[in-house]
Amino acid sequence: MATGKKTNDLPFLLEKKEVVLVKPKKPTPSEVLSFSTLDNDPNLEIIYQTIYVYRAKSFSSINGDHLVSSNGKTHDLELSSDPVTLKRDSDGELRLNCNSSGVPFLSASANCELSSLDYLDGVAVEVAKPFVFDWPADDDGRHPLILQVTKFSCGGFTVGMGLSHSICDGPGAAQFYRALAELATGKTEPSVKPLWERERLVGKLTKTLFQNPIDKSSLATSPHIPFTEIEHCCFNVNSETIKRLKTRSRGRLNPPLPDGYYGNACIDTFVTIMGKDLNEGPLSRIYKLIKEMKKIACSSDYLWNLINMFEMMRRENKKLEMDDTTLFLTDCLIPVPLRALDYLDFIIFISPSTLDPAMKGGLRVLLSFPATAMAKFKEEMDALLNLGDDKALA
């Protein structure tokens, strides 16, 4: 049964059909898959929600009708991975049960044009949230993949995807969705075939003692913490600004990961600085510290030492705890990561909207801040983005 719902203060009516479990077109083997050390991090047991926006089919090779037929079942799409459930067993290990249970899928329609919502570019999180949905876990575990296709009166559509962070990181999620899109355009197989092979990043137990890289006794305090309200913001950074600020660095393992590996492969690195130096010092010093740390983190030895340490922590049930005085930055280039905005300590770099040609080669910086601090932060960010090369790094 279809239901129409207009959420308070939202400028559209959304009609949703019942959720169906989409199962494979062909029989798939029943098996249980294990995870890498990085995948097994309890902090990653969340479902990230992203929304992909497509204008009317004359502007896109992907048609919403290729993703879903009128009765809510798959049409031209054959999922590139088996429907599965995800669960942490009594031994503390995450496992993926490939049981053909089906992928939760919801078909919806909105009585407005995408242009009236600015193609979801920079809209409030509350406006975007109806285009994705949550699906509760049960005794068998949690569905790691959830999909919603919403059609608009203009012929455009959105694909809302919920994907478990335990399955993949940002680049892995981008690879997965690219494969999904390729199949939706009629290809018989994705250009990059997905590889599981999580045993490649399983750490070894060592005698190295764990040392927390963050000295909690010396953490700075903020007048904005504790807070009662989070505000979201998005900054556009053009290609010229990126050229003067960015560093090129990519972690490398020995042996290297093969093409198609989509598991978590991002490693945390830490830069410690006094609050006074951060507030009063030149931006160039912060830039140099981050750049130097990234160079160190690129070595295979550093990466494997950290993976081994994480494996030891996991088996001894130790956690690397952080709070609101720490900040996490990621360069996962995935659109509109809604669920990440529930966290204060995330700054996410995402690809720019294709609606603005001037942003080609640029990126958007998406973040959450205490509402009391946002006005001042916007002022300083605007000033920074308008500085010339010499002043920016002075």
Side-chain angles (χ1 to χ4, degrees), residues 129-189:
K129 277 187 174 181
F131 304 116
V132 288
F133 73 101
D134 296 311
W135 190 253
D138 54 30
D139 292 340
D140 294 327
R142 176 181 292 278
H143 287 273
L145 174 64
I146 304 165
L147 292 172
Q148 174 177 333
V149 173
T150 304
K151 296 181 182 180
F152 292 79
S153 59
C154 58
F157 64 96
T158 60
V159 179
M161 180 174 73
L163 189 61
S164 170
H165 200 341
S166 299
I167 301 288
C168 55
D169 54 18
Q175 176 192 318
F176 176 85
Y177 188 80
R178 185 165 54 248
L180 201 67
E182 288 174 341
L183 295 175
T185 59
K187 292 186 177 181
T188 57
E189 62 181 32

Side-chain angles (χ1 to χ4, degrees), residues 96-113:
L96 201 64
N97 184 14
C98 303
N99 52 17
S100 299
S101 62
V103 172
F105 186 93
L106 188 151
S107 177
S109 59
N111 69 339
C112 65
E113 297 187 356

Side-chain angles (χ1 to χ4, degrees), residues 25-50:
K25 286 185 176 181
K26 303 174 182 178
T28 58
S30 178
E31 57 182 333
V32 177
L33 300 176
S34 58
F35 286 82
S36 73
T37 295
L38 300 181
D39 298 329
N40 260 296
D41 183 352
N43 295 312
L44 301 185
E45 286 187 67
I46 52 179
I47 299 292
Y48 270 119
Q49 296 174 328
T50 58

Side-chain angles (χ1 to χ4, degrees), residues 305-364:
N305 286 338
L306 208 55
I307 292 173
N308 292 340
M309 182 189 74
F310 288 155
E311 181 67 16
M312 181 272 292
M313 290 172 56
R314 187 184 65 79
R315 297 201 185 189
E316 296 184 3
N317 199 27
K318 294 181 178 179
K319 293 184 178 180
L320 184 60
E321 295 182 354
M322 301 183 185
D323 57 24
D324 293 330
T325 58
T326 58
L327 182 67
F328 176 76
L329 294 91
T330 175
D331 54 0
C332 300
L333 297 177
I334 51 180
V336 199
L338 297 178
R339 187 54 55 83
L341 294 177
D342 292 337
Y343 299 90
L344 180 66
D345 55 352
F346 270 79
I347 293 182
I348 301 177
F349 304 149
I350 60 178
S351 53
S353 169
T354 57
L355 297 174
D356 185 359
M359 283 301 297
K360 184 176 181 180
L363 55 80
R364 288 178 290 174

Side-chain angles (χ1 to χ4, degrees), residues 255-286:
L257 294 174
D259 290 339
Y261 185 90
Y262 61 101
N264 286 281
C266 295
I267 296 292
D268 297 333
T269 58
F270 301 91
V271 172
T272 304
I273 187 171
M274 297 294 293
K276 180 180 179 181
D277 295 335
L278 181 62
N279 187 46
E280 301 176 1
L283 177 64
S284 58
R285 181 165 183 264
I286 312 301

Side-chain angles (χ1 to χ4, degrees), residues 119-303:
Y119 298 94
L120 301 188
D121 184 26
V123 302
V125 172
E126 290 73 18
V127 175
K129 277 187 174 181
F131 304 116
V132 288
F133 73 101
D134 296 311
W135 190 253
D138 54 30
D139 292 340
D140 294 327
R142 176 181 292 278
H143 287 273
L145 174 64
I146 304 165
L147 292 172
Q148 174 177 333
V149 173
T150 304
K151 296 181 182 180
F152 292 79
S153 59
C154 58
F157 64 96
T158 60
V159 179
M161 180 174 73
L163 189 61
S164 170
H165 200 341
S166 299
I167 301 288
C168 55
D169 54 18
Q175 176 192 318
F176 176 85
Y177 188 80
R178 185 165 54 248
L180 201 67
E182 288 174 341
L183 295 175
T185 59
K187 292 186 177 181
T188 57
E189 62 181 32
S191 55
V192 178
K193 293 184 178 181
L195 293 177
W196 187 258
E197 299 186 6
R198 303 304 167 97
E199 68 278 1
R200 289 176 174 269
L201 292 184
V202 174
K204 299 177 181 178
L205 294 181
T206 66
K207 296 182 180 180
T208 303
L209 295 177
F210 168 67
Q211 292 184 334
N212 194 324
I214 300 175
D215 182 4
K216 301 199 71 170
S217 64
S218 62
L219 287 177
T221 58
S222 169
H224 303 290
I225 298 173
F227 56 90
T228 58
E229 184 180 353
I230 293 179
E231 189 171 324
H232 311 302
C233 189
C234 184
F235 294 93
N236 287 321
V237 183
N238 61 34
S239 58
E240 291 302 316
T241 303
I242 293 175
K243 286 180 181 178
R244 72 173 186 256
L245 293 178
K246 75 177 179 180
T247 61
R248 292 187 176 273
S249 178
R250 178 174 294 181
R252 297 177 181 177
L253 287 166
N254 186 19
L257 294 174
D259 290 339
Y261 185 90
Y262 61 101
N264 286 281
C266 295
I267 296 292
D268 297 333
T269 58
F270 301 91
V271 172
T272 304
I273 187 171
M274 297 294 293
K276 180 180 179 181
D277 295 335
L278 181 62
N279 187 46
E280 301 176 1
L283 177 64
S284 58
R285 181 165 183 264
I286 312 301
Y287 167 79
K288 290 176 181 177
L289 286 173
I290 294 174
K291 189 173 182 179
E292 289 169 1
M293 191 63 236
K294 289 181 72 173
K295 287 182 179 179
I296 295 172
C298 279
S299 72
S300 184
D301 286 344
Y302 178 94
L303 295 172

Side-chain angles (χ1 to χ4, degrees), residues 360-372:
K360 184 176 181 180
L363 55 80
R364 288 178 290 174
V365 181
L366 196 62
L367 52 84
S368 302
F369 253 58
T372 54

